[in-house]
């Protein structure tokens, strides 16, 4: 009986630890010089400076990823590829990295 209790205690601790650690975040800025994937496990991606995907490279954003940007930040795709295919259950979300976002916060050149 004592062995089962210990087993379930350890199992519960591991499962709870996995639930707690699912809130990773990744800060990113700069160039992408090779094929890169932004994963759900490392989401949200907080863009702290301009991002450039250079020619011939691909930035893939997995379903469910959240990308947070300031209003002054640009994501530029230079003769490169961006693959961002969300799903109904796991949409990809681009949002302001601010609680004070205003109308027309997002724009394109």
């Amino acid at each position: 009986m004592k062995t089962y209790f210990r087993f379930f205690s350890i199992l519960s601790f591991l499962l709870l630890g996995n639930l707690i650690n699912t809130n990773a975040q990744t800060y990113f800025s700069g160039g992408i010089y090779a094929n890169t994937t932004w994963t759900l496990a490392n989401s949200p991606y907080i863009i702290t400076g301009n991002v450039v995907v250079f020619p011939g490279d691909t930035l893939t954003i997995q379903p469910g990823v959240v990308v947070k940007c300031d209003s002054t930040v640009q994501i530029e795709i230079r003769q490169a590829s961006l693959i961002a295919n969300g799903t109904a259950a796991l949409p990809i979300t681009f949002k302001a990295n601010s609680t004070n976002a205003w109308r027309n916060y997002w724009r394109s050149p």
Side-chain angles (χ1 to χ4, degrees), residues 23-29 38-39 42-51 59 61 64-75 91-101 105-106:
N23 292 329
Q25 60 185 20
T26 303
Y27 292 90
F28 190 87
S29 69
W38 288 357
T39 63
N42 293 321
S43 181
Y45 285 81
I46 301 170
I47 308 306
T48 58
N50 291 341
V51 173
L59 170 60
I61 303 175
V65 167
V66 174
V67 180
K68 295 181 176 183
C69 298
D70 292 327
S71 64
T72 58
V73 169
Q74 297 179 25
I75 299 175
I92 295 169
T93 305
F94 288 85
K95 61 193 292 185
N97 189 29
S98 169
T99 56
N100 297 324
Y105 185 89
W106 296 98

Side-chain angles (χ1 to χ4, degrees), residues 6-77:
R6 187 179 312 158
F7 171 77
F8 286 113
S9 296
I10 292 171
L11 182 62
S12 298
F13 177 77
L14 291 174
L15 291 174
L16 183 58
N18 284 337
L19 292 174
I20 291 171
N21 291 329
T22 59
N23 292 329
Q25 60 185 20
T26 303
Y27 292 90
F28 190 87
S29 69
I32 294 177
Y33 302 96
N35 293 339
T36 301
T37 300
W38 288 357
T39 63
L40 180 57
N42 293 321
S43 181
Y45 285 81
I46 301 170
I47 308 306
T48 58
N50 291 341
V51 173
V52 178
V53 183
F54 283 92
D57 295 319
T58 300
L59 170 60
T60 302
I61 303 175
Q62 290 183 338
V65 167
V66 174
V67 180
K68 295 181 176 183
C69 298
D70 292 327
S71 64
T72 58
V73 169
Q74 297 179 25
I75 299 175
E76 184 178 344
I77 311 297

